Each structure stands twice: as C-alpha cells, then as structure tokens.
C-alpha cells in the first residue's frame, strides 16, 4: 500500500486560510489572524495535535454557541508564569 501523498502549504497561506474561516464565523480580523498564525505555528513545529486538525472542533464549538467570536479576551490576574484569561 502506497503512502498517502503529502500536501505542503506555506505557513502564511495556511494562516490566512484559517483566519478567513474564523472571520466567516464572525470573528474580528485581528483575532482571526492571531488564531491563524498560532495554528500554522503549531503545525510548523510539529505539534499537529494543536494545529490544523483542531479546526473542525473549533468551528463546531462556535456553531454550538460555546465560543463567543465577538468576545475580547482579558487577563484578569497574573502570578509569575500563571495567569487567568477571561
């Protein structure tokens, strides 16, 4: 059995694609761009479990109403390397 073909996508193109997916769900361009960059970075460094493979789950969470795409995250408190993100 032959190995599946590998598809290579440049990181900036992947980040842009991911950003457009989240913008299509109503997220601001700035926040969607951040998510796109982080997801592309995760795949680039080989942490595929936190890269593009997460997209279907994130989109489902948005569709189910468990993620507010209009929210602006804030850091509520900090203690060294620990923080609370709301």
């Amino acid at each position: 059995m032959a190995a599946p073909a590998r598809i290579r996508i440049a990181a900036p193109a992947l980040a842009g694609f991911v950003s457009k997916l989240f913008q299509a769900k109503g997220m601001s361009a700035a926040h969607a761009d951040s998510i796109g960059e982080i997801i592309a970075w995760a795949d680039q460094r080989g942490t595929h479990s936190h890269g593009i493979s997460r997209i279907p789950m994130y989109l489902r969470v948005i569709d189910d109403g468990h993620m507010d795409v209009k929210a602006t995250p804030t850091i509520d408190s900090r203690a060294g390397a620990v923080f609370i993100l709301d």
Side-chain angles (χ1 to χ4, degrees):
M1 178 178 216
R6 296 184 97 180
I7 299 171
R8 294 186 183 264
I9 301 170
L14 177 60
F17 174 74
V18 172
S19 176
K20 287 183 186 338
L21 289 174
F22 283 91
Q23 288 179 57
K25 293 292 186 178
M27 188 175 283
S28 73
H31 288 164
D33 286 349
S34 293
I35 290 174
E37 290 171 13
I38 291 165
I39 286 176
W41 175 78
D43 273 318
Q44 277 185 296
R45 68 186 295 247
T47 311
H48 303 295
S49 61
H50 287 72
I52 197 76
S53 67
R54 293 268 178 162
I55 297 296
M57 185 265 310
Y58 290 144
L59 298 179
R60 190 170 44 255
V61 168
I62 292 168
D63 288 343
D64 290 346
H66 299 294
M67 181 190 293
D68 180 359
V69 295
K70 300 292 185 188
T72 300
T74 58
I75 295 177
D76 287 344
S77 67
R78 296 173 192 227
V82 177
F83 63 91
I84 296 174
L85 180 67
D86 183 13

